[in-house]
Amino acid sequence: MGTAESTKRKEKLANQDTAQREPNSCTNMADQKDNIDDFKVQTAKHPNMTSAPLRPHSEHSKDRASKRLSTESNGTSDGGVGSSTPVEITALEESFRRFAIHGDTRATGKEMHGKNWSKLCKDCGVIDGKNITLTDVDIVFSKVKKKSCRTITFDEFKVALGELARKKYKDKTGEEAEAEVFQLIEGKSPVISGVTKAVASPTVSRLTDTTKFTGSHKERFDETGRGKGKAGRVDIVDTSGYVSGYKHQGSYEKKVTKPTAGRPV
């Protein structure tokens, strides 16, 4: 009997504990559901809460600068194409870009047409008329460029200069000849032709010297050589009443208009 009663008591206590735990578990589940709902509401109001924090403007500027330098890089840096390491442009490459964009507003300076290539060789003294002619320059350009292209890159440009250097300086080695040709081009810019220059010739100076004019032409200019305008082209009638050359012109008007203050009436 004692054992049966103790067993019943244990079952009763266990049922009471279970009944107490179930409300607590329901409460915990309700709290979790409320937290999830609150998180959804906050996420809807602020969709960027979980995203990465915004970076300051200075960091964006640095990124843009590095991208621009990597874009301008043409593969001559240690990092190769697409490297973010800044590329130091040599004097030869700077001259290449100056001639590449000459006369073409859409040129980028990375490729050069055959016309500008011929102008570079002419302006920089590569063409001498003896060892190197314009025909040689055109032949080398067609040789180094790709078949489907009409332009050459900077690397192809150096190859073309090497071809011309060995032909121009036959008594020197290949490296010495290339160095000589590179020195002719480094730091140079396109020569602008077709600009009218003033020519100082005796004939022109005699025709424009107003001190040597005679007759009616002399009357058109004053002593300083400045034109008189209409007074030098048209005879203006003098209606002053004085004889031309009269020294005391205007003296009569002064006497007539003399003030009468102090005179007896």
Side-chain angles (χ1 to χ4, degrees):
M1 292 293 292
T3 304
E5 291 179 359
S6 61
T7 302
K8 290 182 180 180
R9 289 178 182 176
K10 290 180 180 179
E11 290 178 356
K12 186 176 180 180
L13 292 173
N15 292 334
Q16 289 179 357
D17 293 336
T18 303
Q20 290 178 357
R21 289 175 183 176
E22 286 180 356
N24 292 333
S25 61
C26 294
T27 303
N28 293 333
M29 293 178 62
D31 293 338
Q32 292 179 359
K33 186 176 181 181
D34 293 338
N35 293 333
I36 294 174
D37 294 337
D38 293 337
F39 178 77
K40 290 181 179 180
V41 172
Q42 294 294 333
T43 305
K45 290 182 179 180
H46 305 285
N48 297 327
M49 286 179 61
T50 58
S51 61
L54 297 176
R55 295 184 296 172
H57 181 71
S58 59
E59 295 184 6
H60 289 285
S61 302
K62 292 179 181 179
D63 291 344
R64 287 196 296 268
S66 62
K67 289 180 181 179
R68 183 173 66 253
L69 290 174
S70 62
T71 303
E72 293 177 355
S73 174
N74 57 359
T76 58
S77 63
D78 296 336
V81 178
S83 175
S84 59
T85 304
V87 181
E88 183 178 357
I89 300 176
T90 60
L92 181 64
E93 187 175 358
E94 181 64 24
S95 298
F96 171 82
R97 294 188 177 187
R98 291 175 183 174
F99 280 92
I101 64 176
H102 177 69
D104 189 0
T105 56
R106 295 178 297 178
T108 60
K110 296 182 179 181
E111 297 178 345
M112 180 182 292
H113 290 275
K115 182 179 179 181
N116 291 351
W117 158 253
S118 301
K119 181 174 178 60
L120 181 144
C121 295
K122 181 179 179 181
D123 293 349
C124 297
V126 179
I127 299 176
D128 53 10
K130 296 180 181 180
N131 297 328
I132 303 295
T133 62
L134 185 61
T135 303
D136 297 329
V137 170
D138 294 337
I139 291 174
V140 171
F141 181 84
S142 301
K143 181 179 178 180
V144 300
K145 76 177 184 64
K146 297 179 182 178
K147 294 183 179 180
S148 60
C149 297
R150 301 174 59 184
T151 58
I152 59 174
T153 61
F154 180 68
D155 294 334
E156 296 170 345
F157 169 75
K158 291 190 293 185
V159 174
L161 290 181
E163 294 283 341
L164 296 178
R166 287 187 289 272
K167 189 172 183 180
K168 184 178 179 66
Y169 302 102
K170 298 179 180 179
D171 56 340
K172 297 183 179 181
T173 61
E175 295 180 358
E176 293 178 352
E178 289 183 3
E180 290 289 337
V181 173
F182 289 171
Q183 288 180 0
L184 294 176
I185 300 174
E186 289 177 351
K188 298 295 181 63
S189 300
V191 177
I192 301 175
S193 59
V195 180
T196 305
K197 297 181 179 180
V199 179
S201 62
T203 305
V204 176
S205 60
R206 184 172 65 253
L207 294 175
T208 56
D209 189 359
T210 59
T211 60
K212 297 180 180 180
F213 289 177
T214 60
S216 61
H217 298 288
K218 184 178 181 179
E219 300 297 330
R220 297 177 60 185
F221 300 91
D222 58 11
E223 297 178 355
T224 61
R226 183 171 183 148
K228 296 181 181 180
K230 186 177 180 181
R233 301 191 303 270
V234 181
D235 293 334
I236 301 176
V237 180
D238 187 4
T239 59
S240 62
Y242 290 94
V243 180
S244 60
Y246 182 62
K247 297 181 180 180
H248 303 287
Q249 184 177 357
S251 59
Y252 178 76
E253 285 79 2
K254 292 181 181 179
K255 293 179 180 180
V256 173
T257 59
K258 189 174 181 179
T260 58
R263 289 186 178 183
V265 178

